[in-house]
Amino acid sequence: ATGMHTAADAQGRYFGTFCDPASTYWTDAGFMALVDNKADVGQLTVSNSLKWDSTERSQNSFTYTNPDKLVAYAQEHGYLVRGHTLVWHNQLPSWVSSVAQSSVASVIENHISNVAGRYAGQLYAWDVVNEPFNEDGSWRTDPFYNALGDSYVTIALNAARAADPTAKLYINEYNVETPGRKSSALVALAKSLVSAGAPLHGIGFQCHFVLGQSPSTATLVSQFEQYTSLGLEVAITELDIRIQQPASSASLAQQQTEYQNVVAACKAVDLCVGVTAAGMSDKYTWVPGTFPGYGSPLMFDESFNKKPAYTGVVDGW
Ligand code: XIL
């Protein structure tokens, strides 16, 4: 039967999901059966265990137990892996904020050379820099920007290039799926990095949407093309479409349409390489904990039954 990944694969793209051995679902056989299904999944993103607070909780002491497990699992299944993420203001151990500003560049370089170097040649892509901008398009004043200004992005990209020369190197961002100040800031950054010859290969669009507010296919395509016209690839990296609770048959049907429209935007752009959802089942999602009153954002329900959204993904390809 046609699944979410087989439909993507027929278009030369992948469909994948967040998956992390650190999560309780790793031992939930019902959930893992969804991830095991090669018709639906062709790519995995380690949701938490490659973040700085997991890999380098204390300075220069590295932990890889869970990402090693995930990468081995992915290789057994023939799944691509996206590494997420090397430099991000969030899930960052507090010691990084206490480093002397003159040492921040070497701290970034040491982190990336270790973590990206560990998986050299094994990952499809890295989200080298995650969420660099505020909503108004200004730079986030995190420890990296505070010490180095915007040069931290190039420092991180160069370090990732040296550590893993074959991985596609991405900047990943949210709320850049429609035009606006944040979107314009990211386009300007991409242009300046490309013209400077920095090793940037792709832009990740997180695509955390609210039902009824998902961008149209045409809007997404035109956002993607701002980067593909520079020769960069794009990917949808963390797709979910949250529904104000309780969900109804009407809202679930609307969610199907919105999933289909989003996937269709990737299909319409040659350099959109694939779509990753932020999970498979509504049983395991970050949404209710982060956006109280919202839920039901994924393709399978809490009992692991296919939702209309599943058909939306298949039909979008
Ligand atoms: C989320 C994870 O899914 C949760 O398990 C965790 O508690 C918080 O982070 N943008 C990102 C992702 O780039 O890493 C975040 O993932 C969601 C927002």
Side-chain angles (χ1 to χ4, degrees):
T2 302
M4 298 187 291
H5 175 66
T6 48
D9 190 53
Q11 302 298 329
R13 326 298 173 88
Y14 60 77
F15 188 85
T17 178
F18 273 20
C19 188
D20 198 323
S23 172
T24 56
Y25 57 61
W26 188 254
T27 54
D28 179 338
F31 178 80
M32 288 307 291
L34 303 180
V35 182
D36 263 315
N37 184 348
K38 294 180 189 178
D40 283 333
V41 174
Q43 179 272 328
L44 299 175
T45 297
V46 188
S47 359
N48 285 305
S49 290
L50 282 171
K51 293 172 180 173
W52 200 311
D53 64 354
S54 296
T55 53
E56 193 185 6
R57 174 164 283 283
S58 51
Q59 188 166 7
N60 207 30
S61 167
F62 292 89
T63 308
Y64 299 111
T65 315
N66 286 314
D68 280 0
K69 268 192 218 173
L70 191 282
V71 170
Y73 173 93
Q75 287 173 350
E76 282 161 24
H77 288 72
Y79 295 166
L80 299 174
V81 179
R82 299 189 80 264
H84 175 80
T85 177
L86 293 167
V87 176
W88 187 29
H89 73 280
N90 218 342
Q91 293 178 265
L92 186 66
S94 53
W95 69 263
V96 178
S97 313
S98 317
V99 165
Q101 293 201 341
S102 57
S103 300
V104 171
S106 63
V107 162
I108 292 172
E109 287 167 344
N110 187 55
H111 181 73
I112 292 178
S113 108
N114 277 277
V115 179
R118 172 99 177 168
Y119 302 103
Q122 299 183 72
L123 303 194
Y124 172 69
W126 267 109
D127 290 331
V128 178
V129 172
N130 197 29
E131 304 180 349
F133 292 113
N134 293 312
E135 294 307 299
D136 66 0
S138 59
W139 286 86
R140 254 183 222 279
T141 49
D142 58 26
F144 312 112
Y145 185 81
N146 288 342
L148 298 161
D150 60 12
S151 74
Y152 86 85
V153 175
T154 303
I155 289 169
L157 289 168
N158 284 334
R161 180 66 164 184
D164 187 353
T166 59
K168 304 275 190 183
L169 306 183
Y170 274 66
I171 298 172
N172 192 49
E173 192 46 286
Y174 70 102
N175 285 353
V176 291
E177 297 88 355
T178 51
R181 290 159 80 170
K182 194 178 191 181
S183 162
S184 299
L186 184 58
V187 172
L189 173 61
K191 283 185 178 158
S192 91
L193 290 169
V194 167
S195 71
L200 174 70
H201 309 113
I203 299 294
F205 291 74
Q206 292 186 9
C207 295
H208 295 295
F209 295 138
V210 180
L211 190 80
Q213 297 168 38
S214 305
S216 68
T217 304
T219 296
L220 285 166
V221 166
S222 96
Q223 292 299 100
F224 295 165
E225 286 178 340
Q226 295 181 92
Y227 304 97
T228 59
S229 65
L230 305 175
L232 299 172
E233 60 178 56
V234 299
I236 292 174
T237 55
E238 310 184 11
L239 176 61
D240 52 21
I241 303 178
R242 58 186 181 266
I243 299 177
Q244 193 159 16
Q245 299 297 288
S248 64
S249 54
S251 60
L252 293 170
Q254 175 64 20
Q255 187 183 46
Q256 172 178 351
T257 302
E258 295 187 17
Y259 263 96
Q260 181 169 340
N261 291 343
V262 172
V263 169
C266 187
K267 178 185 172 181
V269 175
D270 286 343
L271 282 168
C272 181
V273 296
V275 175
T276 309
M280 294 289 276
S281 158
D282 293 342
K283 184 172 182 183
Y284 299 108
T285 160
W286 72 311
V287 164
T290 306
F291 307 101
Y294 287 83
S296 316
L298 295 165
M299 299 80 61
F300 292 84
D301 69 17
E302 297 192 10
S303 308
F304 311 131
N305 299 305
K306 288 176 184 168
K307 294 165 59 189
Y310 176 97
T311 307
V313 172
V314 172
D315 291 350
W317 295 115

